């Protein structure tokens, strides 16, 4: 067994608003970990595509595991798993579900824009799940907000106390390096052409820094002192408890601050811990093998109907070919062929350990939230559905194909592709589909046509907010205009509102109604 298999793990995801620099940071992390020798010569979308295919070549040659699910690399005798959260183009429940598979999150903030909506939403899922969050202020090479303004915003908007580990030397737009608050020294960065290689770093003492960086250094040192007075020092217990967020300053494009992020992940991000089960027990990483499926992806291409189930390993060792039990059915499940189809990842998925992500191909029985295991039975809690914000009715274009329509909708509901809501009023012919992102509707429409041979017509509904309600409130809700109540397939009763203002007025005028926000995630 290669030694890397038993190295400690760090499994994390990057949460950010589109364009904050997630892809650039991913590339920079890989560069630092020396997965790739040189970042794409041209950063950005076009350049990255080239880089991704470079990775694939590299993966074939060196057995490095890179798939759309996770980028795995070794750094300082640790295996780091960076689990991919899909970008804005395919923002959907999957984006949220990925957070059930990680032990920490890196919140990437654009220094020029501050906290943005999608980051806030994803952060709420982290908070709900108790995932510790490390904040990276990116694009410090460009003029933007001041560091203190950004700290204020984080504390105000998300309620986490920022505890900067580094502090920028030079205002945004003039990025020389950072003051390392852990030892008071200066890490000076040097630009490289196009940010294509690792940025050389020089570590200087405070005295030398004053000579080199002059006023920029004294300003940084003064501000860092103020932070100390404001109790903004890192405290590991507070960080793990989700009360504080360590902060780093970076320019992913220039590869500044990226090594510090990797060090921080290794030094303070939590390793995989025990995974609680539905019976109130937990499996420790050292116990028999177990994993849960957090994402299922089915090929939209009719010629390739592969179904890839992504599972996070919670305990034990996964070995390709092992027979595991599918907890939902109690049936044995052989992983041999599943792995064989995983093409380029094959060599690296021979064995996997707690914290690692594996892709099981054509595991048709596996659904989102399912547990697989060896040894005594274990069931991990289901991943709760997320609060939908987009709603549409679905109808079969060809009413003669209603049977296929029903089967398809049921299957996609079970897979977690979309939420399906029903009411007596609307009947079974036109269920309401509810989604976190509109992209989910496109996936449903494409798969209904190509896989189930039942094209559908979608009509968007004028709602943007769902609240959980109870049977006792249904009659009163039925008398209110512009609001609709439906039952989700898991039995939850949902009241749909056009917007938060309508919800607010209903709550004011009918204080007896039970209307509660939907929990983000149960796991
Ligand atoms: P995303 O995955 O979060 O959507 O962001 P992405 O990495 O695609 O970055 C979005 C844009 O921000 C890109 O520019 C990228 O080059 C730029 N960027 C990322 N990190 C930094 C940084 O640290 N400093 C600066 N100055 N820019 C950064 P683009 O114009 O959309 O693409 P391109 O023209 O660079 O190809």
């Amino acid at each position: 067994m290669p030694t890397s298999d038993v190295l400690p793990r760090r499994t994390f995801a990057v949460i950010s608003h589109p364009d904050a620099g997630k892809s650039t940071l991913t590339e920079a992390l890989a560069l630092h970990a020396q997965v790739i020798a040189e970042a794409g010569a041209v950063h950005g979308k076009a350049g990255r595509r080239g880089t991704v295919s470079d990775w694939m070549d590299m993966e074939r040659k060196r057995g490095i595991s890179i798939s759309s699910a996770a980028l795995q690399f070794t750094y300082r005798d640790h295996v780091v798993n960076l689990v991919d959260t899909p970008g804005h183009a395919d923002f959907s429940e999957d984006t949220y579900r990925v957070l059930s598979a990680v032990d920490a999150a890196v919140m990437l903030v654009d220094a020029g824009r501050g906290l943005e909506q999608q980051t806030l939403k994803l952060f709420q899922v982290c908070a709900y799940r108790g995932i510790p969050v490390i904040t990276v202020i990116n694009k410090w090479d460009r003029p933007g907000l001041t560091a203190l303004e950004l700290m204020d915003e984080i504390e105000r908007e998300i309620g986490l106390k920022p505890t900067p580990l580094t502090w920028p030397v030079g205002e945004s737009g003039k990025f020389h390096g950072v003051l390392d608050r852990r030892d008071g020294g200066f890490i000076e960065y040097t630009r490289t052409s196009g940010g294509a290689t690792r940025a050389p770093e020089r570590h200087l003492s405070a005295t030398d820094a004053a000579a080199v960086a002059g006023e920029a250094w004294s300003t940084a040192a003064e501000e860092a002192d103020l932070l100390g007075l404001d109790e903004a020092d890192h405290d590991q217990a507070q960080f793990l408890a989700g009360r504080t967020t360590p902060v780093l300053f970076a320019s992913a494009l220039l590869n500044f601050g990226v090594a510090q992020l990797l060090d921080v992940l290794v030094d303070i991000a939590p390793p995989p811990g025990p995974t609680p089960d539905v019976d109130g027990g937990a499996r420790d990483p050292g116990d028999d093998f177990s994993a849960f499926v957090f994402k299922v992806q089915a090929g939209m291409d009719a010629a390739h109907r592969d179904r890839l189930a992504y599972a996070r390993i919670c305990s034990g060792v996964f070995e390709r070919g092992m027979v595991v039990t599918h907890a939902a059915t109690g049936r044995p499940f052989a992983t041999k062929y599943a792995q064989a189809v995983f093409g380029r990842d094959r060599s690296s998925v021979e064995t996997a350990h707690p914290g690692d992500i594996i892709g099981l191909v054509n595991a048709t029985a596996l659904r989102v939230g399912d547990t697989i295991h060896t040894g005594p039975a274990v069931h991990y809690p289901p991943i709760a559905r997320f609060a939908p914000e987009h709603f549409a009715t679905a109808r079969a274009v060809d009413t003669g194909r209603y049977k296929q329509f029903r089967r398809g909708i049921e299957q996609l509901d079970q897979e977690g592709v979309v939420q399906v809501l029903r009411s007596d009023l609307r009947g079974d012919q036109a269920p309401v589909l509810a989604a976190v992102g509109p992209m989910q509707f496109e996936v449903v429409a494409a798969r209904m046509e190509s896989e189930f041979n039942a094209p559908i017509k979608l009509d968007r509904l004028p709602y943007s907010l769902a609240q959980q309600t109870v049977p006792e409130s249904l009659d009163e809700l039925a008398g209110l205009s512009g609001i609709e109540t439906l039952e989700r397939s898991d039995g939850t009763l949902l009241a749909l509102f056009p917007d938060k203002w309508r919800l607010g007025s209903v709550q004011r005028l009918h204080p007896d109604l039970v209307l509660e926000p939907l929990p983000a995630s149960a796991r």
Side-chain angles (χ1 to χ4, degrees):
M1 186 186 295
T3 43
S4 70
D5 277 349
V6 289
L7 294 175
R9 260 56 181 173
R10 293 291 183 271
T11 301
F12 76 105
V14 177
I15 60 172
S16 67
H17 197 79
D19 282 338
K22 191 174 57 150
S23 318
T24 312
L25 179 70
T26 303
E27 191 181 288
L29 286 167
L31 175 72
H32 270 268
Q34 288 175 320
V35 172
I36 49 176
E38 197 173 276
V42 187
H43 276 277
K45 307 242 157 28
R48 271 195 318 277
R49 236 174 260 133
T51 313
V52 170
S53 52
D54 287 350
W55 284 347
M56 296 206 166
D57 273 338
M58 200 77 64
E59 190 184 359
R60 258 195 300 264
K61 283 188 209 125
R62 300 200 212 158
I64 295 163
S65 162
I66 299 166
S67 69
S68 56
L71 168 66
Q72 186 177 70
F73 53 82
T74 311
Y75 182 78
R76 277 181 41 201
D77 287 339
H78 284 67
V79 170
V80 179
N81 292 309
L82 168 48
V83 187
D84 190 32
T85 44
H88 66 301
D90 35 21
F91 185 62
S92 67
E93 286 195 82
D94 272 348
T95 317
Y96 289 162
R97 287 188 196 121
V98 161
L99 294 170
S100 64
V102 300
D103 301 313
V106 166
M107 180 165 78
L108 191 66
V109 178
D110 182 331
R113 308 181 68 96
L115 286 170
E116 294 174 273
Q117 203 209 4
Q118 191 158 313
T119 320
L120 288 171
K121 277 199 211 168
L122 290 164
F123 167 75
Q124 279 157 8
V125 180
C126 294
Y128 191 86
R129 290 205 48 240
I131 303 171
V133 176
I134 296 163
T135 300
V136 172
I137 307 289
N138 189 33
K139 304 196 188 181
W140 198 254
D141 59 297
R142 281 216 308 228
L145 302 171
T146 70
L148 288 170
E149 276 169 346
L150 286 159
M151 296 308 99
D152 275 352
E153 189 174 320
I154 290 170
E155 191 158 1
R156 205 179 50 242
E157 296 277 336
I158 66 174
L160 282 190
K161 176 91 189 162
T163 57
L165 299 173
T166 62
W167 194 251
V169 176
E171 61 203 38
S172 51
K174 294 183 188 150
F175 199 12
H176 305 292
V178 290
L179 184 155
D180 188 338
R181 291 191 68 224
R182 290 157 297 184
D183 63 10
F186 178 36
I187 305 172
E188 189 192 36
Y189 302 125
T190 306
R191 284 179 187 240
T192 57
S193 169
T197 53
R198 277 158 66 142
E201 280 178 12
R202 210 156 56 120
H203 291 244
L204 301 174
S205 69
T207 329
D208 292 342
V212 172
E215 206 180 309
W217 174 260
S218 40
T219 308
E222 271 166 34
E223 287 179 347
D225 284 346
L226 285 178
L227 293 171
L229 296 176
D230 190 30
E231 292 176 353
D233 295 333
H234 174 69
D235 176 319
Q236 184 69 8
Q238 295 285 332
F239 160 59
L240 293 180
R243 284 192 278 271
T244 62
T245 179
V247 181
L248 297 166
F249 288 80
S251 165
L253 191 65
L254 302 177
N255 297 308
F256 289 5
V258 177
Q260 282 72 43
L261 174 58
L262 281 168
D263 286 336
V264 162
L265 282 166
V266 164
D267 292 337
I268 68 172
T275 310
D277 62 24
V278 284
D279 302 320
R283 273 215 180 175
D284 282 322
D287 291 345
D288 286 322
F289 167 79
S290 69
F292 69 84
V293 177
F294 63 94
K295 173 172 158 173
V296 172
Q297 217 167 38
M300 286 171 60
D301 178 352
H304 300 96
R305 294 231 181 110
D306 278 356
R307 233 169 137 264
L308 200 53
Y310 294 106
R312 156 159 173 146
I313 299 182
C314 301
S315 64
V317 182
F318 173 83
E319 284 175 20
R320 188 168 73 84
M322 80 195 287
V323 177
V324 300
T325 304
H326 177 208
T329 57
R331 294 216 182 95
F333 171 76
T335 58
K336 188 170 170 189
Y337 301 107
Q339 286 306 305
V341 198
F342 205 6
R344 299 170 176 121
D345 262 336
R346 214 176 315 170
S347 56
S348 53
V349 191
E350 287 294 322
T351 60
H353 292 261
D356 292 347
I357 308 298
I358 51 173
L360 301 165
V361 175
N362 284 341
T364 39
L366 294 184
R367 309 219 161 107
V368 167
D370 279 1
T371 305
I372 50 174
H373 65 87
T374 60
V378 59
H379 277 270
Y380 292 123
I383 303 177
R385 311 307 301 261
F386 295 90
E389 294 178 11
H390 303 268
F391 304 87
T393 53
R395 276 192 189 79
V397 170
D398 175 357
T399 42
R401 306 198 60 78
Y402 179 63
K403 235 168 72 187
Q404 289 85 341
F405 170 80
R406 237 176 64 169
R407 199 165 58 82
I409 293 289
E410 198 179 304
Q411 165 87 20
L412 298 178
D413 184 15
Q414 282 172 357
E415 275 184 29
V417 174
V418 76
Q419 302 181 26
V420 180
L421 318 179
R422 293 189 173 84
S423 68
D424 290 343
L425 210 63
R426 289 195 180 269
D428 227 18
Q429 311 272 342
V432 172
L433 308 185
V436 164
M439 171 81 178
Q440 287 172 256
F441 293 143
E442 287 171 42
V443 175
V444 170
R447 288 189 59 190
M448 286 297 287
E449 181 158 0
S450 67
E451 263 173 67
F452 302 98
N453 211 359
I456 57 168
K457 185 174 173 304
L458 288 165
D459 286 307
R460 294 296 286 268
L461 295 170
Y463 307 118
S464 71
L465 192 71
Q467 296 275 298
Q468 190 164 348
T469 188
V470 293
E472 296 73 38
S473 293
L474 290 182
D475 282 346
E476 199 172 341
L477 282 166
L480 303 175
S481 66
I483 294 162
E484 183 168 349
T485 52
L486 297 113
E487 184 174 345
R488 194 165 61 184
S489 52
D490 64 357
T492 308
L493 287 172
L494 299 184
L496 309 188
F497 293 82
D499 50 47
K500 62 181 182 201
W501 293 281
R502 181 74 178 120
L503 169 65
S505 79
V506 167
Q507 282 174 321
R508 261 193 318 280
L509 297 171
H510 305 269
D512 49 314
L513 284 174
V514 175
L515 292 169
E516 280 163 7
L518 290 159
S521 168
R523 207 196 284 276

